[in-house]
Amino acid sequence: MDLIDLSSVNDDDRFLEFLESLCQSLGFDFASYATTNLVTGDVQGFANYPDEWKNHYGKKGYHRLDPTLYVSMLSIAPVDWGRFSHDDKFNKVFFDAFDFGITDRGISVPVRGPYGDCGLLSVTRKCSDGEWEKFKPKVIGDLQYAAVHMHDNVMKSGLLPKALSLPSLSTWEKEILQWVAAGKSQQDIGDILSISHRTVEVHIRSGREKLGALTTAQAVGRAITFGMIHPG
């Protein structure tokens, strides 16, 4: 599982600018957006943290154990980092973070897309316990809106396939998965394309393997997510 800074493969600064603007308008110190590659499990995203911290975080492999990532990704509601205060892995990450001026006070807002994709917007703010409890209700609605906006735009940008060098589907695999997305059975697809039912099955299986999907429905969802085919 790798950690990929999408800003290093993207010459469009709008996503980092959005995070900067979010921090300035709502009063946060830092913000990050992360999603995971549905095929490889790699963590990729953007963050306006200091470069020194981002490099240290990656070198230490903290993305493999950081609960603000892997626990929050499983949630359906915003996750206050205070719930991790007794988590050894969280404390290990943020023991180092303090040296880089990063507070352990933050919140992560998960977003779930229609095809199994998930994004995570996280923000930090250095303040007292009392200030934090008064501050959260004032900004949570804006954070949830911002998380959806960020995730939708990253998914629509076409950046993830470029960044992740996803395996390309063959013309047959794409066309057949496109027909599956349209609700056609394997027999229907064979008749439409004038090929055997067996050939249709072979291409579907190959497409599933390339996309790391366990089911055909999952393969269709991932192909749509990565812009390889269109929703039916």
Side-chain angles (χ1 to χ4, degrees), residues 40-201:
T40 66
D42 291 342
V43 176
Q44 65 273 335
F46 300 91
N48 67 348
Y49 289 115
D51 288 341
E52 294 82 1
W53 170 240
K54 289 193 287 187
N55 292 335
H56 181 80
Y57 187 95
K59 287 179 180 178
K60 290 288 188 178
Y62 284 154
H63 59 288
R64 296 184 176 91
L65 56 90
D66 187 350
T68 70
L69 280 175
Y70 70 80
V71 174
S72 299
M73 281 281 190
L74 299 176
S75 178
I76 59 174
V79 178
D80 187 324
W81 294 359
R83 67 179 284 185
F84 304 127
S85 60
H86 300 295
D87 186 307
D88 290 341
K89 294 177 180 178
F90 176 81
N91 291 327
K92 177 179 177 65
V93 172
F94 283 91
F95 179 81
D96 282 5
F98 289 133
D99 292 337
F100 294 84
I102 311 296
T103 180
D104 62 353
R105 187 172 315 283
I107 191 167
S108 295
V109 182
V111 180
R112 304 203 174 279
Y115 307 115
D117 48 295
C118 180
L120 190 70
L121 178 68
S122 298
V123 289
T124 67
R125 176 183 169 93
K126 192 176 294 185
C127 61
S128 68
D129 291 347
E131 289 173 329
W132 180 244
E133 291 306 316
K134 292 179 181 179
F135 178 71
K136 280 190 303 179
K138 297 178 181 178
V139 298
I140 193 62
D142 289 330
L143 280 178
Q144 289 175 304
Y145 174 81
V148 171
H149 175 82
M150 183 78 174
H151 182 66
D152 284 353
N153 278 275
V154 169
M155 297 306 290
K156 292 174 182 176
S157 70
L159 178 60
L160 296 185
K162 176 183 175 183
L164 302 171
S165 300
L166 292 179
S168 59
L169 298 180
S170 71
T171 300
W172 278 114
E173 289 162 353
K174 285 189 287 188
E175 186 165 5
I176 289 172
L177 286 178
Q178 185 66 71
W179 282 116
V180 173
K184 301 299 182 181
S185 68
Q186 290 188 20
Q187 187 63 56
D188 292 336
I189 297 170
D191 293 341
I192 292 168
L193 301 179
S194 298
I195 57 178
S196 70
H197 171 273
R198 174 63 178 164
T199 300
V200 172
E201 183 179 353

Side-chain angles (χ1 to χ4, degrees), residues 1-78:
M1 180 197 300
D2 292 329
L3 179 65
I4 302 170
D5 181 358
L6 291 180
S7 63
S8 67
V9 294
N10 179 37
D11 56 7
D12 185 345
D13 293 331
R14 60 183 162 136
F15 296 115
L16 279 176
E17 290 173 355
F18 178 78
L19 294 178
E20 290 283 1
S21 176
L22 179 70
C23 288
Q24 292 176 13
S25 62
L26 296 184
F28 289 101
D29 298 326
F30 300 106
S32 65
Y33 164 83
T35 186
T36 53
N37 179 353
L38 295 173
V39 178
T40 66
D42 291 342
V43 176
Q44 65 273 335
F46 300 91
N48 67 348
Y49 289 115
D51 288 341
E52 294 82 1
W53 170 240
K54 289 193 287 187
N55 292 335
H56 181 80
Y57 187 95
K59 287 179 180 178
K60 290 288 188 178
Y62 284 154
H63 59 288
R64 296 184 176 91
L65 56 90
D66 187 350
T68 70
L69 280 175
Y70 70 80
V71 174
S72 299
M73 281 281 190
L74 299 176
S75 178
I76 59 174

